PDB file of all heavy atoms in Angstrom:
ATOM      1  N   LEU B 103      18.139 -16.037   0.400  1.00 97.00           N
ATOM      2  CA  LEU B 103      16.899 -16.816   0.441  1.00 97.00           C
ATOM      3  C   LEU B 103      16.033 -16.651  -0.806  1.00 97.00           C
ATOM      4  O   LEU B 103      15.002 -17.319  -0.921  1.00 97.00           O
ATOM      5  CB  LEU B 103      16.066 -16.400   1.673  1.00 97.00           C
ATOM      6  CG  LEU B 103      16.679 -16.690   3.039  1.00 97.00           C
ATOM      7  CD1 LEU B 103      15.780 -16.108   4.136  1.00 97.00           C
ATOM      8  CD2 LEU B 103      16.873 -18.183   3.243  1.00 97.00           C
ATOM      9  N   ILE B 104      16.435 -15.774  -1.717  1.00 97.00           N
ATOM     10  CA  ILE B 104      15.578 -15.432  -2.847  1.00 97.00           C
ATOM     11  C   ILE B 104      15.055 -16.676  -3.569  1.00 97.00           C
ATOM     12  O   ILE B 104      13.870 -16.773  -3.902  1.00 97.00           O
ATOM     13  CB  ILE B 104      16.327 -14.519  -3.849  1.00 97.00           C
ATOM     14  CG1 ILE B 104      16.540 -13.132  -3.228  1.00 97.00           C
ATOM     15  CG2 ILE B 104      15.554 -14.391  -5.164  1.00 97.00           C
ATOM     16  CD1 ILE B 104      15.267 -12.382  -2.934  1.00 97.00           C
ATOM     17  N   SER B 105      15.932 -17.642  -3.824  1.00 97.00           N
ATOM     18  CA  SER B 105      15.537 -18.825  -4.592  1.00 97.00           C
ATOM     19  C   SER B 105      15.408 -20.074  -3.731  1.00 97.00           C
ATOM     20  O   SER B 105      15.228 -21.172  -4.264  1.00 97.00           O
ATOM     21  CB  SER B 105      16.557 -19.081  -5.712  1.00 97.00           C
ATOM     22  OG  SER B 105      16.610 -17.980  -6.605  1.00 97.00           O
ATOM     23  N   ALA B 106      15.457 -19.922  -2.425  1.00 98.00           N
ATOM     24  CA  ALA B 106      15.329 -21.079  -1.531  1.00 98.00           C
ATOM     25  C   ALA B 106      13.886 -21.570  -1.535  1.00 98.00           C
ATOM     26  O   ALA B 106      12.963 -20.772  -1.332  1.00 98.00           O
ATOM     27  CB  ALA B 106      15.751 -20.701  -0.121  1.00 98.00           C
ATOM     28  N   PRO B 107      13.659 -22.864  -1.756  1.00 98.00           N
ATOM     29  CA  PRO B 107      12.281 -23.386  -1.840  1.00 98.00           C
ATOM     30  C   PRO B 107      11.421 -23.039  -0.627  1.00 98.00           C
ATOM     31  O   PRO B 107      10.249 -22.666  -0.784  1.00 98.00           O
ATOM     32  CB  PRO B 107      12.494 -24.891  -1.973  1.00 98.00           C
ATOM     33  CG  PRO B 107      13.839 -25.022  -2.617  1.00 98.00           C
ATOM     34  CD  PRO B 107      14.665 -23.907  -2.048  1.00 98.00           C
ATOM     35  N   GLU B 108      11.976 -23.134   0.579  1.00 98.00           N
ATOM     36  CA  GLU B 108      11.186 -22.831   1.773  1.00 98.00           C
ATOM     37  C   GLU B 108      10.786 -21.359   1.804  1.00 98.00           C
ATOM     38  O   GLU B 108       9.648 -21.018   2.142  1.00 98.00           O
ATOM     39  CB  GLU B 108      11.966 -23.183   3.037  1.00 98.00           C
ATOM     40  CG  GLU B 108      11.170 -22.923   4.309  1.00 98.00           C
ATOM     41  CD  GLU B 108      11.950 -23.258   5.564  1.00 98.00           C
ATOM     42  OE1 GLU B 108      13.086 -23.764   5.456  1.00 98.00           O
ATOM     43  OE2 GLU B 108      11.417 -23.009   6.660  1.00 98.00           O
ATOM     44  N   ALA B 109      11.722 -20.478   1.430  1.00 98.00           N
ATOM     45  CA  ALA B 109      11.427 -19.045   1.421  1.00 98.00           C
ATOM     46  C   ALA B 109      10.369 -18.725   0.370  1.00 98.00           C
ATOM     47  O   ALA B 109       9.475 -17.897   0.601  1.00 98.00           O
ATOM     48  CB  ALA B 109      12.697 -18.245   1.168  1.00 98.00           C
ATOM     49  N   ILE B 110      10.470 -19.343  -0.792  1.00 98.00           N
ATOM     50  CA  ILE B 110       9.466 -19.139  -1.844  1.00 98.00           C
ATOM     51  C   ILE B 110       8.087 -19.539  -1.336  1.00 98.00           C
ATOM     52  O   ILE B 110       7.097 -18.813  -1.515  1.00 98.00           O
ATOM     53  CB  ILE B 110       9.841 -19.941  -3.105  1.00 98.00           C
ATOM     54  CG1 ILE B 110      11.085 -19.335  -3.755  1.00 98.00           C
ATOM     55  CG2 ILE B 110       8.683 -19.987  -4.094  1.00 98.00           C
ATOM     56  CD1 ILE B 110      11.649 -20.169  -4.896  1.00 98.00           C
ATOM     57  N   THR B 111       8.010 -20.696  -0.686  1.00 98.00           N
ATOM     58  CA  THR B 111       6.729 -21.181  -0.161  1.00 98.00           C
ATOM     59  C   THR B 111       6.174 -20.227   0.886  1.00 98.00           C
ATOM     60  O   THR B 111       4.967 -19.934   0.902  1.00 98.00           O
ATOM     61  CB  THR B 111       6.903 -22.591   0.439  1.00 98.00           C
ATOM     62  OG1 THR B 111       7.299 -23.484  -0.597  1.00 98.00           O
ATOM     63  CG2 THR B 111       5.614 -23.085   1.066  1.00 98.00           C
ATOM     64  N   MET B 112       7.030 -19.711   1.751  1.00 98.00           N
ATOM     65  CA  MET B 112       6.572 -18.797   2.798  1.00 98.00           C
ATOM     66  C   MET B 112       6.124 -17.462   2.210  1.00 98.00           C
ATOM     67  O   MET B 112       5.121 -16.894   2.645  1.00 98.00           O
ATOM     68  CB  MET B 112       7.681 -18.595   3.827  1.00 98.00           C
ATOM     69  CG  MET B 112       7.987 -19.825   4.658  1.00 98.00           C
ATOM     70  SD  MET B 112       6.531 -20.504   5.520  1.00 98.00           S
ATOM     71  CE  MET B 112       6.055 -19.109   6.544  1.00 98.00           C
ATOM     72  N   ARG B 113       6.844 -16.955   1.211  1.00 98.00           N
ATOM     73  CA  ARG B 113       6.417 -15.705   0.564  1.00 98.00           C
ATOM     74  C   ARG B 113       5.044 -15.887  -0.066  1.00 98.00           C
ATOM     75  O   ARG B 113       4.163 -15.033   0.066  1.00 98.00           O
ATOM     76  CB  ARG B 113       7.439 -15.256  -0.486  1.00 98.00           C
ATOM     77  CG  ARG B 113       8.768 -14.768   0.089  1.00 98.00           C
ATOM     78  CD  ARG B 113       9.552 -13.966  -0.940  1.00 98.00           C
ATOM     79  NE  ARG B 113       9.879 -14.707  -2.144  1.00 98.00           N
ATOM     80  CZ  ARG B 113      11.027 -15.345  -2.369  1.00 98.00           C
ATOM     81  NH1 ARG B 113      11.972 -15.367  -1.424  1.00 98.00           N
ATOM     82  NH2 ARG B 113      11.250 -15.965  -3.507  1.00 98.00           N
ATOM     83  N   ASP B 114       4.868 -16.997  -0.774  1.00 98.00           N
ATOM     84  CA  ASP B 114       3.571 -17.259  -1.405  1.00 98.00           C
ATOM     85  C   ASP B 114       2.461 -17.345  -0.370  1.00 98.00           C
ATOM     86  O   ASP B 114       1.341 -16.863  -0.590  1.00 98.00           O
ATOM     87  CB  ASP B 114       3.628 -18.561  -2.211  1.00 98.00           C
ATOM     88  CG  ASP B 114       4.424 -18.439  -3.497  1.00 98.00           C
ATOM     89  OD1 ASP B 114       4.729 -17.301  -3.923  1.00 98.00           O
ATOM     90  OD2 ASP B 114       4.751 -19.491  -4.090  1.00 98.00           O
ATOM     91  N   ALA B 115       2.750 -17.959   0.768  1.00 98.00           N
ATOM     92  CA  ALA B 115       1.743 -18.105   1.828  1.00 98.00           C
ATOM     93  C   ALA B 115       1.351 -16.749   2.402  1.00 98.00           C
ATOM     94  O   ALA B 115       0.169 -16.480   2.667  1.00 98.00           O
ATOM     95  CB  ALA B 115       2.269 -19.024   2.924  1.00 98.00           C
ATOM     96  N   ILE B 116       2.333 -15.880   2.591  1.00 98.00           N
ATOM     97  CA  ILE B 116       2.039 -14.540   3.116  1.00 98.00           C
ATOM     98  C   ILE B 116       1.208 -13.753   2.114  1.00 98.00           C
ATOM     99  O   ILE B 116       0.249 -13.060   2.483  1.00 98.00           O
ATOM    100  CB  ILE B 116       3.350 -13.810   3.466  1.00 98.00           C
ATOM    101  CG1 ILE B 116       4.017 -14.491   4.666  1.00 98.00           C
ATOM    102  CG2 ILE B 116       3.089 -12.324   3.761  1.00 98.00           C
ATOM    103  CD1 ILE B 116       5.441 -14.037   4.919  1.00 98.00           C
ATOM    104  N   VAL B 117       1.554 -13.858   0.838  1.00 98.00           N
ATOM    105  CA  VAL B 117       0.782 -13.160  -0.197  1.00 98.00           C
ATOM    106  C   VAL B 117      -0.648 -13.674  -0.247  1.00 98.00           C
ATOM    107  O   VAL B 117      -1.608 -12.889  -0.323  1.00 98.00           O
ATOM    108  CB  VAL B 117       1.460 -13.309  -1.573  1.00 98.00           C
ATOM    109  CG1 VAL B 117       0.521 -12.899  -2.694  1.00 98.00           C
ATOM    110  CG2 VAL B 117       2.739 -12.476  -1.618  1.00 98.00           C
ATOM    111  N   LYS B 118      -0.814 -14.980  -0.196  1.00 98.00           N
ATOM    112  CA  LYS B 118      -2.172 -15.566  -0.202  1.00 98.00           C
ATOM    113  C   LYS B 118      -2.977 -15.044   0.984  1.00 98.00           C
ATOM    114  O   LYS B 118      -4.154 -14.687   0.849  1.00 98.00           O
ATOM    115  CB  LYS B 118      -2.075 -17.087  -0.178  1.00 98.00           C
ATOM    116  CG  LYS B 118      -3.429 -17.785  -0.245  1.00 98.00           C
ATOM    117  CD  LYS B 118      -3.268 -19.299  -0.265  1.00 98.00           C
ATOM    118  CE  LYS B 118      -4.639 -19.982  -0.329  1.00 98.00           C
ATOM    119  NZ  LYS B 118      -4.491 -21.469  -0.351  1.00 98.00           N
ATOM    120  N   PHE B 119      -2.349 -15.007   2.156  1.00 98.00           N
ATOM    121  CA  PHE B 119      -3.012 -14.499   3.358  1.00 98.00           C
ATOM    122  C   PHE B 119      -3.355 -13.019   3.185  1.00 98.00           C
ATOM    123  O   PHE B 119      -4.465 -12.577   3.501  1.00 98.00           O
ATOM    124  CB  PHE B 119      -2.086 -14.704   4.560  1.00 98.00           C
ATOM    125  CG  PHE B 119      -2.642 -14.214   5.858  1.00 98.00           C
ATOM    126  CD1 PHE B 119      -3.438 -15.038   6.641  1.00 98.00           C
ATOM    127  CD2 PHE B 119      -2.369 -12.925   6.301  1.00 98.00           C
ATOM    128  CE1 PHE B 119      -3.952 -14.580   7.859  1.00 98.00           C
ATOM    129  CE2 PHE B 119      -2.877 -12.458   7.501  1.00 98.00           C
ATOM    130  CZ  PHE B 119      -3.675 -13.291   8.285  1.00 98.00           C
ATOM    131  N   TYR B 120      -2.411 -12.241   2.687  1.00 98.00           N
ATOM    132  CA  TYR B 120      -2.622 -10.813   2.480  1.00 98.00           C
ATOM    133  C   TYR B 120      -3.800 -10.563   1.539  1.00 98.00           C
ATOM    134  O   TYR B 120      -4.680  -9.743   1.824  1.00 98.00           O
ATOM    135  CB  TYR B 120      -1.346 -10.197   1.917  1.00 98.00           C
ATOM    136  CG  TYR B 120      -1.397  -8.697   1.699  1.00 98.00           C
ATOM    137  CD1 TYR B 120      -1.149  -7.811   2.737  1.00 98.00           C
ATOM    138  CD2 TYR B 120      -1.661  -8.172   0.439  1.00 98.00           C
ATOM    139  CE1 TYR B 120      -1.176  -6.435   2.545  1.00 98.00           C
ATOM    140  CE2 TYR B 120      -1.691  -6.805   0.226  1.00 98.00           C
ATOM    141  CZ  TYR B 120      -1.448  -5.942   1.281  1.00 98.00           C
ATOM    142  OH  TYR B 120      -1.490  -4.571   1.069  1.00 98.00           O
ATOM    143  N   LEU B 121      -3.834 -11.277   0.436  1.00 98.00           N
ATOM    144  CA  LEU B 121      -4.919 -11.102  -0.529  1.00 98.00           C
ATOM    145  C   LEU B 121      -6.266 -11.500   0.051  1.00 98.00           C
ATOM    146  O   LEU B 121      -7.292 -10.866  -0.222  1.00 98.00           O
ATOM    147  CB  LEU B 121      -4.631 -11.912  -1.792  1.00 98.00           C
ATOM    148  CG  LEU B 121      -3.515 -11.370  -2.696  1.00 98.00           C
ATOM    149  CD1 LEU B 121      -3.176 -12.390  -3.776  1.00 98.00           C
ATOM    150  CD2 LEU B 121      -3.922 -10.037  -3.317  1.00 98.00           C
ATOM    151  N   SER B 122      -6.278 -12.537   0.875  1.00 98.00           N
ATOM    152  CA  SER B 122      -7.545 -12.997   1.447  1.00 98.00           C
ATOM    153  C   SER B 122      -8.085 -12.032   2.502  1.00 98.00           C
ATOM    154  O   SER B 122      -9.262 -12.099   2.859  1.00 98.00           O
ATOM    155  CB  SER B 122      -7.391 -14.401   2.043  1.00 98.00           C
ATOM    156  OG  SER B 122      -6.574 -14.373   3.192  1.00 98.00           O
ATOM    157  N   HIS B 123      -7.223 -11.146   2.996  1.00 98.00           N
ATOM    158  CA  HIS B 123      -7.644 -10.163   3.993  1.00 98.00           C
ATOM    159  C   HIS B 123      -7.496  -8.735   3.460  1.00 98.00           C
ATOM    160  O   HIS B 123      -7.450  -7.775   4.235  1.00 98.00           O
ATOM    161  CB  HIS B 123      -6.821 -10.322   5.271  1.00 98.00           C
ATOM    162  CG  HIS B 123      -7.038 -11.631   5.969  1.00 98.00           C
ATOM    163  ND1 HIS B 123      -6.394 -12.785   5.589  1.00 98.00           N
ATOM    164  CD2 HIS B 123      -7.843 -11.977   7.000  1.00 98.00           C
ATOM    165  CE1 HIS B 123      -6.779 -13.779   6.368  1.00 98.00           C
ATOM    166  NE2 HIS B 123      -7.660 -13.324   7.227  1.00 98.00           N
ATOM    167  N   ALA B 124      -7.465  -8.593   2.147  1.00 98.00           N
ATOM    168  CA  ALA B 124      -7.171  -7.293   1.534  1.00 98.00           C
ATOM    169  C   ALA B 124      -8.144  -6.206   1.980  1.00 98.00           C
ATOM    170  O   ALA B 124      -7.750  -5.049   2.172  1.00 98.00           O
ATOM    171  CB  ALA B 124      -7.173  -7.421   0.010  1.00 98.00           C
ATOM    172  N   ARG B 125      -9.394  -6.550   2.180  1.00 97.00           N
ATOM    173  CA  ARG B 125     -10.382  -5.522   2.515  1.00 97.00           C
ATOM    174  C   ARG B 125     -10.239  -4.995   3.936  1.00 97.00           C
ATOM    175  O   ARG B 125     -10.893  -4.011   4.298  1.00 97.00           O
ATOM    176  CB  ARG B 125     -11.789  -6.055   2.273  1.00 97.00           C
ATOM    177  CG  ARG B 125     -12.033  -6.344   0.796  1.00 97.00           C
ATOM    178  CD  ARG B 125     -13.474  -6.566   0.466  1.00 97.00           C
ATOM    179  NE  ARG B 125     -13.632  -6.836  -0.976  1.00 97.00           N
ATOM    180  CZ  ARG B 125     -14.751  -6.635  -1.656  1.00 97.00           C
ATOM    181  NH1 ARG B 125     -15.829  -6.185  -1.042  1.00 97.00           N
ATOM    182  NH2 ARG B 125     -14.799  -6.901  -2.945  1.00 97.00           N
ATOM    183  N   ARG B 126      -9.390  -5.624   4.720  1.00 97.00           N
ATOM    184  CA  ARG B 126      -9.104  -5.085   6.054  1.00 97.00           C
ATOM    185  C   ARG B 126      -8.136  -3.899   5.961  1.00 97.00           C
ATOM    186  O   ARG B 126      -7.994  -3.148   6.921  1.00 97.00           O
ATOM    187  CB  ARG B 126      -8.529  -6.177   6.967  1.00 97.00           C
ATOM    188  CG  ARG B 126      -9.454  -7.360   7.170  1.00 97.00           C
ATOM    189  CD  ARG B 126     -10.822  -6.942   7.648  1.00 97.00           C
ATOM    190  NE  ARG B 126     -10.762  -6.303   8.962  1.00 97.00           N
ATOM    191  CZ  ARG B 126     -11.718  -5.525   9.456  1.00 97.00           C
ATOM    192  NH1 ARG B 126     -12.799  -5.247   8.744  1.00 97.00           N
ATOM    193  NH2 ARG B 126     -11.579  -4.996  10.662  1.00 97.00           N
ATOM    194  N   ALA B 127      -7.480  -3.745   4.827  1.00 98.00           N
ATOM    195  CA  ALA B 127      -6.641  -2.556   4.574  1.00 98.00           C
ATOM    196  C   ALA B 127      -7.544  -1.484   3.994  1.00 98.00           C
ATOM    197  O   ALA B 127      -7.444  -1.104   2.826  1.00 98.00           O
ATOM    198  CB  ALA B 127      -5.502  -2.901   3.619  1.00 98.00           C
ATOM    199  N   ASN B 128      -8.446  -0.978   4.830  1.00 96.00           N
ATOM    200  CA  ASN B 128      -9.546  -0.175   4.318  1.00 96.00           C
ATOM    201  C   ASN B 128      -9.347   1.331   4.493  1.00 96.00           C
ATOM    202  O   ASN B 128     -10.251   2.057   4.899  1.00 96.00           O
ATOM    203  CB  ASN B 128     -10.865  -0.623   4.960  1.00 96.00           C
ATOM    204  CG  ASN B 128     -10.840  -0.537   6.481  1.00 96.00           C
ATOM    205  OD1 ASN B 128      -9.778  -0.423   7.069  1.00 96.00           O
ATOM    206  ND2 ASN B 128     -12.003  -0.596   7.091  1.00 96.00           N
ATOM    207  N   ASN B 129      -8.144   1.769   4.190  1.00 97.00           N
ATOM    208  CA  ASN B 129      -7.880   3.188   4.014  1.00 97.00           C
ATOM    209  C   ASN B 129      -6.572   3.297   3.243  1.00 97.00           C
ATOM    210  O   ASN B 129      -5.807   2.337   3.172  1.00 97.00           O
ATOM    211  CB  ASN B 129      -7.803   3.935   5.349  1.00 97.00           C
ATOM    212  CG  ASN B 129      -8.314   5.367   5.233  1.00 97.00           C
ATOM    213  OD1 ASN B 129      -7.914   6.088   4.328  1.00 97.00           O
ATOM    214  ND2 ASN B 129      -9.204   5.784   6.141  1.00 97.00           N
ATOM    215  N   TRP B 130      -6.324   4.479   2.690  1.00 97.00           N
ATOM    216  CA  TRP B 130      -5.197   4.585   1.760  1.00 97.00           C
ATOM    217  C   TRP B 130      -3.844   4.335   2.427  1.00 97.00           C
ATOM    218  O   TRP B 130      -2.943   3.772   1.809  1.00 97.00           O
ATOM    219  CB  TRP B 130      -5.203   5.945   1.057  1.00 97.00           C
ATOM    220  CG  TRP B 130      -5.154   7.147   1.939  1.00 97.00           C
ATOM    221  CD1 TRP B 130      -6.213   7.885   2.378  1.00 97.00           C
ATOM    222  CD2 TRP B 130      -3.977   7.773   2.499  1.00 97.00           C
ATOM    223  NE1 TRP B 130      -5.777   8.918   3.174  1.00 97.00           N
ATOM    224  CE2 TRP B 130      -4.417   8.878   3.256  1.00 97.00           C
ATOM    225  CE3 TRP B 130      -2.620   7.505   2.419  1.00 97.00           C
ATOM    226  CZ2 TRP B 130      -3.533   9.717   3.944  1.00 97.00           C
ATOM    227  CZ3 TRP B 130      -1.719   8.328   3.095  1.00 97.00           C
ATOM    228  CH2 TRP B 130      -2.183   9.416   3.845  1.00 97.00           C
TER     229      TRP B 130
END
Side-chain angles (χ1 to χ4, degrees):
L103 296 175
I104 290 296
S105 299
E108 182 181 356
I110 291 172
T111 297
M112 292 305 300
R113 290 197 300 265
D114 287 346
I116 292 168
V117 166
K118 183 178 180 180
F119 180 88
Y120 182 83
L121 288 170
S122 69
H123 295 82
R125 295 193 180 204
R126 300 307 297 161
N128 58 344
N129 213 311
W130 58 264

